[in-house]
Amino acid sequence: MTPPLFTLPAVLDATRGRAEGVAAEAINSISIDSRELGPDALFVAIKGDRFDGHDFVDTALANGAAAALVSEGRSAGPGRIHVADALDGLRDLGRAARARSRAFIVGVTGSVGKTTTKEALRTVFEAAGQTHASIKSFNNHWGVPLMLARMPENAQFGVFEMGMNAPEEIRPLSRMVRPHVAVITSIAPVHLEGLGSIEAIARAKAEIFDGLEPGGTAVINADHGQLQLLLDAAAAAGVANVITFGFARGVDWQILDPQTDASASSATILHGEESYKLGLAVPGRHMLSNATAALAVAHLAGIAPEVALRALAGLAAQPGRGERLRLGPDDKPLLVVNESYNANPVAVVAALSVFGQIEPAGGRKVLVLGDMLELGPQADQLHAGLADAVRDSGAERIYLVGPHMAALAAALPDAVMAGHFPSAAEAVNVIVDDLAYGDALMVKGSNGVGLSRLVSAITTRFGQS
């Protein structure tokens, strides 16, 4: 019989809470969304940027929640567990889940590739044992404690993604997760608006080292200009072991002879005297890098290389992060490469490199790029700097969305510019009307631009085979 996630006494003990008319004896799931409740759910009424969970406590209980964790004085009635602050209570549950766990825990951060690397690790760990991993991009001040609190006591492996928009955000998350391995995927010009420089970005990512368990290991991508800063930060944090990976010479896990086409990629991975053949069913040098990080961590976890390599061979692109949709007839589909979740200069160039290898099924190559957000004063310059990569992609019709994309529009030939729109809402109908079966389309932009609605509209219009 599977033990409960938490018994009611364990919840009360961890949160120092007071139960009011709670009939449930156990909690088996935890949610912050009253519309998405698992079995025997504890609804945690946190206050977000747009909504306050306390406004939805009654709805959550009516929808079947076993109990609601609420801030003292904010909600009254049966089914409540009162704590000083609901978000702090969620953090307490996360710490309690971590304290009882014997799992091998990995924390992942970086400017690009966090979610994909987390998924690569999840894929490998699931081939070796009971695995718990963050879902979607739940990597912030409420996402990490939520994912940690959901970790079953019998999990053998745990993988947690950690993100940030400013300094001193990753440090408390890492101290809560207490990983045995901390992975930094890359350092790139992301969040410049809040951090000001790429060096500041590297220092903020290096905060993950502060939560490493004694004797823990840092696994660091070497293919960027901030490697020494990260190595120095790891040493200052007292990190016992540091492992590097990437395409650079002399790293501990070196990617050799990378091969990539429109649908797959492969490489030889050199580690000491050993070499391994890595084959992925997803394209791109960046995917080889993410998978190599997972291979290195698997080695630290004691997972046999053949098990890890076999699992990585089945790694799939995630929605919004390179997912491919083939819409319509098999002989002449509309191919949509959905990269609508995230964008920064490094990620866009990598995606365009992959798009350059794609051949449409008799139609045109159409490119939709949305603004890269949070780049600060350098935003226009960084957008204009994409021009060469856009030209090399072979795109025949280019749509740009967002005010900063005006700088890129000015750097591109008029012959390929199909339109520039201030917002996704203004672009959707025009772009959908221009597409046809046989075309190949890539959609890439920061999530806040809203290009996911374009992908939804395309899927609705053209149908998914």
Side-chain angles (χ1 to χ4, degrees):
M1 181 176 177
T2 303
L5 184 61
F6 288 101
T7 63
L8 179 60
V11 171
L12 298 177
D13 182 59
T15 62
R16 300 169 299 282
R18 173 178 60 86
E20 180 184 5
V22 177
E25 297 180 357
I27 296 297
N28 283 309
S29 62
I30 301 175
S31 177
I32 61 169
D33 190 333
S34 62
R35 302 164 300 179
E36 299 177 2
L37 299 171
D40 302 315
L42 174 67
F43 172 70
V44 182
I46 68 170
K47 188 178 186 306
D49 295 332
R50 294 184 298 165
F51 302 105
D52 187 337
H54 293 90
D55 297 332
F56 301 93
V57 170
D58 288 335
T59 300
L61 294 171
N63 287 347
L69 191 72
V70 300
S71 300
E72 194 70 64
R74 294 298 314 279
S75 182
R80 273 79 166 169
I81 298 173
H82 299 272
V83 294
D85 179 82
L87 180 55
D88 284 341
L90 180 61
R91 293 183 178 120
D92 288 335
L93 288 173
R95 293 186 187 97
R98 178 65 184 91
R100 71 189 182 187
S101 177
R102 297 183 180 181
F104 183 86
I105 304 293
V106 182
V108 182
T109 193
S111 300
V112 292
K114 292 188 297 295
T115 301
T116 302
T117 300
K118 179 259 297 180
E119 285 300 306
L121 285 163
R122 180 190 60 77
T123 299
V124 169
F125 286 154
E126 284 182 344
Q130 179 71 31
T131 299
H132 175 75
S134 300
I135 63 170
K136 303 178 183 178
S137 287
F138 283 16
N139 61 20
N140 62 2
H141 66 289
W142 58 260
V144 172
L146 176 63
M147 292 297 98
L148 191 58
R150 288 179 176 180
M151 182 167 62
E153 186 173 1
N154 63 349
Q156 296 170 269
F157 303 97
V159 188
F160 299 91
E161 180 180 337
M162 303 178 205
M164 61 87 194
N165 293 300
E168 299 301 326
E169 291 184 351
I170 287 180
R171 195 184 319 276
L173 300 180
S174 185
R175 288 176 175 174
M176 190 183 310
V177 171
R178 291 166 37 217
H180 299 100
V181 177
V183 180
I184 296 184
T185 60
S186 187
I187 303 296
V190 183
H191 307 307
L192 285 171
E193 189 171 70
L195 288 149
S197 70
I198 196 164
E199 291 80 13
I201 293 168
R203 285 191 290 271
K205 297 297 183 183
E207 292 173 17
I208 194 173
F209 300 146
D210 281 7
L212 264 176
E213 285 284 85
T217 302
V219 176
I220 305 173
N221 185 345
D223 297 325
H224 55 82
Q226 305 305 312
L227 175 61
Q228 191 58 52
L229 189 156
L230 295 179
L231 294 175
D232 291 344
V239 176
N241 308 294
V242 176
I243 289 173
T244 55
F245 70 94
F247 297 92
R249 294 181 62 182
V251 298
D252 298 302
W253 291 79
Q254 185 178 3
I255 306 169
L256 300 174
D257 192 27
Q259 305 290 326
T260 183
D261 58 26
S263 60
S265 53
S266 64
T268 297
I269 310 301
L270 182 64
H271 176 237
E273 300 299 318
E274 301 293 331
S275 65
Y276 308 102
K277 294 295 183 181
L278 174 64
L280 304 176
V282 288
R285 287 169 60 92
H286 58 299
M287 296 299 294
L288 290 169
S289 181
N290 298 333
T292 301
L295 188 61
V297 175
H299 182 267
L300 293 170
I303 298 173
E306 58 269 21
V307 173
L309 292 165
R310 186 164 55 247
L312 289 169
L315 182 65
Q318 300 299 300
R321 294 180 171 86
E323 175 191 35
R324 297 190 180 200
L325 306 173
R326 297 174 66 88
L327 309 177
D330 291 337
D331 60 337
K332 195 176 181 181
L334 168 63
L335 173 65
V336 180
V337 182
N338 179 11
E339 290 266 9
S340 62
Y341 190 84
N342 193 25
N344 59 67
V346 172
V348 172
V349 170
L352 289 171
S353 176
V354 172
F355 189 52
Q357 297 179 297
I358 292 176
E359 293 296 331
R364 307 155 301 167
K365 294 187 73 169
V366 183
L367 177 64
V368 179
L369 291 179
D371 272 1
M372 303 178 291
L373 302 179
E374 300 183 26
L375 295 182
Q378 303 177 51
D380 287 345
Q381 178 185 350
L382 291 169
H383 282 77
L386 298 174
D388 287 344
V390 170
R391 294 189 194 100
D392 293 343
S393 74
E396 300 166 74
R397 290 181 66 76
I398 300 170
Y399 291 96
L400 303 178
V401 180
H404 290 300
M405 278 297 168
L408 177 57
L412 295 175
D414 291 341
V416 296
M417 276 299 302
H420 175 220
F421 301 89
S423 69
E426 296 166 274
V428 169
N429 289 337
V430 174
I431 296 173
V432 171
D433 288 343
D434 185 41
L435 296 173
Y437 293 117
D439 290 344
L441 166 73
M442 174 175 279
V443 179
K444 180 76 173 175
S446 288
N447 191 42
V449 177
L451 290 178
S452 59
R453 72 183 67 179
L454 170 62
V455 177
S456 296
I458 293 168
T459 303
T460 299
R461 172 76 67 87
F462 289 89
Q464 187 167 356
S465 61

